[in-house]
Amino acid sequence: MSGAAAGGPAAGSAPAPDRSAGDRDRPSVAPRLGRNRDYRLLWTGQVVSEAGFSTTMIAFPLLVLALTGSAAQSGLVVGAVAIAQLVAGLPAGALVDRWPRKLVMLGCEAVQAVAAVGLVLALWWGTAGVGLLVVVAVVMGVCRALFEPAEEASLPRLVADAQVPAAVAMNAARTSAGQLSGTALGGFLFALGRLVPFAFDVLAHVFAFVSLVFVRLPGRPAPAGRAPAHLGREILEGLRWVWQQPRLRVTVFCVVSLNLFFSAYYLVIIVLANERGVPSGEIGVMAAMLGAGGILGSLAAPYLHRKLSPYLLIAGVFWALTLLTPLAVFVHSGYLMGVLFAVIAFLPPAANTTISTYQLLFTPDHLRGRLGGVLGVTGGLAAALGPALGGWLVDALPGPAAVLTCAAAIALVTLLTTCSGTLRGFPAATQARELDPATERNP
């Protein structure tokens, strides 16, 4: 990696990739994030939308079991959301870079509301079947594949550069809060009636749609006189962009490996707690404390992001996880395990904030949707493979050995992260816009 890339553009190099007309129109200094009307509207709408989605994800398997009694078909419906999101991820990222991003987000909320209305009516008329549930699940997955990169790509246009870390962290807190509230609501609403959680989902998407209508998102500059390329070539362009930038490659590796091994670790711990006779109520507390730790960590992330250098923050989080994860072998109380979960979950949001801020500010606007698509697919694969890896470890090894295997994998990633010259030269997020990707070199 050249010194110019680490500190700023080389003499005579092209200007930073993202200083487009649309970005220049956006103020570089703005009031506090809480006073940013447009971000506040987006955030509020999406925390409700996330709660509706999580409520549906709890209600889906309960509904399938009530209709068919088949656990396998329950898994099919729930899995259809993740599969659709993965399959649509890369094309969705390319389409987000083609289409107006606010319209993409509005369309996704509207389509999900219509799909949920159809399911509510089918349940009211007594005609709902597994096939309809799969269709609704696929619609949800495709809409999330489109919405998430559209929102992420819009963030640097909605807030000032200095607000991006706080916005990224608040979005993470929003997701955790929505998941926690939706998970708690799902079972309760289903007990009131089979269609009630899906009716709540309709209201959640309508609320998010209305909130989005009033968001003022600065327009993007028109493409410089060339027709859109073939969709496949645009997808490859996005993949090449991520692969050719060393810092993007390394940060994607950090996030994916952490998601993979921690997903496996989480399942191993749940199984180990069950084997040790921890009551199901305490296991529920463990899961809740994991979510609470994530919310608190997201709230603290902007402060840690400001106080620590990117390399120290990212490497420090990995070292802390390496030291904390083996402790589960010695913990037999569900409540104490919940405390350990909360501490572990508190740490990653700070590193994720630093990584995501750099990725957004460094990537040119016309590639941000494809960046989001790549990150969504790689993160989704890690989240899907992690539990499978955890299940295999539980079957192959005694519980404590499975825990230590996951901890050893995290330790290996920690060593690679610590020794990475690319990460040691990682710039502050505020410098990301000043870097010229043409000066980036493979280490």
Side-chain angles (χ1 to χ4, degrees):
M1 182 185 310
S2 67
S13 65
D18 205 40
R19 287 301 187 191
S20 57
D23 278 345
R24 288 195 299 270
D25 292 340
R26 196 172 52 86
S28 59
V29 178
R32 292 173 54 188
L33 188 63
R35 297 177 182 174
N36 184 321
R37 167 193 174 277
D38 298 304
Y39 176 77
R40 196 168 63 241
L41 280 170
L42 176 63
W43 192 93
T44 303
Q46 287 311 299
V47 76
V48 175
S49 180
E50 190 69 43
F53 173 77
S54 298
T55 297
T56 298
M57 292 303 291
I58 293 297
F60 265 152
L62 296 175
L63 178 59
V64 176
L65 286 172
L67 292 174
T68 69
S70 170
Q73 292 188 52
S74 294
L76 171 66
V77 173
V78 174
V81 178
I83 293 170
Q85 192 168 355
L86 283 175
V87 171
L90 293 178
L95 292 173
V96 162
D97 284 334
R98 282 187 179 186
W99 297 340
R101 288 167 184 162
K102 180 177 176 179
L103 290 181
V104 170
M105 292 188 282
L106 285 169
C108 288
E109 292 294 352
V111 169
Q112 288 181 93
V114 170
V117 166
L119 179 54
V120 168
L121 292 176
L123 288 169
W124 179 264
W125 294 326
T127 58
V130 173
L132 175 62
L133 294 179
V134 171
V135 170
V136 173
V138 168
V139 168
M140 291 170 60
V142 172
C143 286
R144 287 178 72 83
L146 283 163
F147 189 98
E148 290 176 2
E151 183 190 16
E152 291 165 6
S154 300
L155 206 57
R157 292 188 173 278
L158 204 60
V159 305
D161 289 0
Q163 293 177 337
V164 171
V168 168
M170 287 302 297
N171 282 3
R174 177 194 79 195
T175 299
S176 296
Q179 289 172 347
L180 273 179
S181 59
T183 300
L185 273 173
F188 171 73
L189 293 178
F190 190 82
L192 296 178
R194 292 180 180 180
L195 61 77
V196 176
F198 305 105
F200 172 76
D201 193 32
V202 173
L203 296 176
H205 289 302
V206 170
F207 179 85
F209 179 90
V210 173
S211 297
L212 265 169
V213 166
F214 293 100
V215 172
R216 296 169 300 197
L217 181 62
R220 299 165 60 204
R226 66 183 180 94
H230 185 275
L231 186 64
R233 287 197 294 274
E234 291 185 339
I235 293 171
L236 289 176
E237 183 184 3
L239 291 169
R240 279 197 301 269
W241 164 257
V242 174
W243 181 253
Q244 289 171 356
Q245 311 305 322
R247 289 171 184 142
L248 290 184
R249 274 206 319 268
V250 169
T251 53
V252 170
F253 168 78
C254 289
V255 173
V256 168
S257 57
L258 183 59
N259 286 345
L260 174 67
F261 294 121
F262 188 75
S263 297
Y265 177 81
Y266 175 76
L267 181 64
V268 168
I269 295 302
I270 297 298
V271 173
L272 179 63
N274 185 64
E275 289 178 351
R276 289 175 170 176
V278 175
S280 58
E282 290 186 30
I283 293 177
V285 170
M286 287 165 48
M289 291 183 74
L290 180 72
I295 293 174
L296 293 175
S298 298
L299 296 177
Y303 174 81
L304 296 173
H305 172 83
R306 289 194 304 270
K307 294 299 182 182
L308 300 175
S309 71
Y311 172 71
L312 181 60
L313 182 56
I314 296 169
V317 166
F318 273 94
W319 274 108
L321 294 175
T322 298
L323 296 175
L324 288 170
T325 47
L327 297 181
V329 172
F330 310 104
V331 178
H332 293 261
S333 163
Y335 298 118
L336 289 178
M337 185 64 72
V339 172
L340 179 61
F341 264 1
V343 174
I344 289 174
F346 180 84
L347 299 169
N352 286 338
T353 295
T354 292
I355 289 170
S356 297
T357 299
Y358 173 81
Q359 290 171 336
L360 281 174
L361 293 182
F362 178 71
T363 302
D365 180 79
H366 72 278
L367 286 167
R368 282 185 188 142
R370 279 165 281 184
L371 171 70
V374 171
L375 296 178
V377 169
T378 53
L381 285 172
L385 293 175
L389 174 62
W392 179 81
L393 289 173
V394 167
D395 287 340
L397 300 170
V403 171
L404 294 176
T405 300
C406 291
I410 294 173
L412 176 60
V413 175
T414 299
L415 290 175
L416 294 174
T417 301
T418 305
C419 297
S420 169
T422 300
L423 271 185
R424 280 199 298 273
F426 208 79
T430 52
Q431 295 176 292
R433 280 190 185 272
E434 301 169 3
L435 298 178
D436 178 7
T439 65
E440 289 276 68
R441 294 290 182 266
N442 291 340

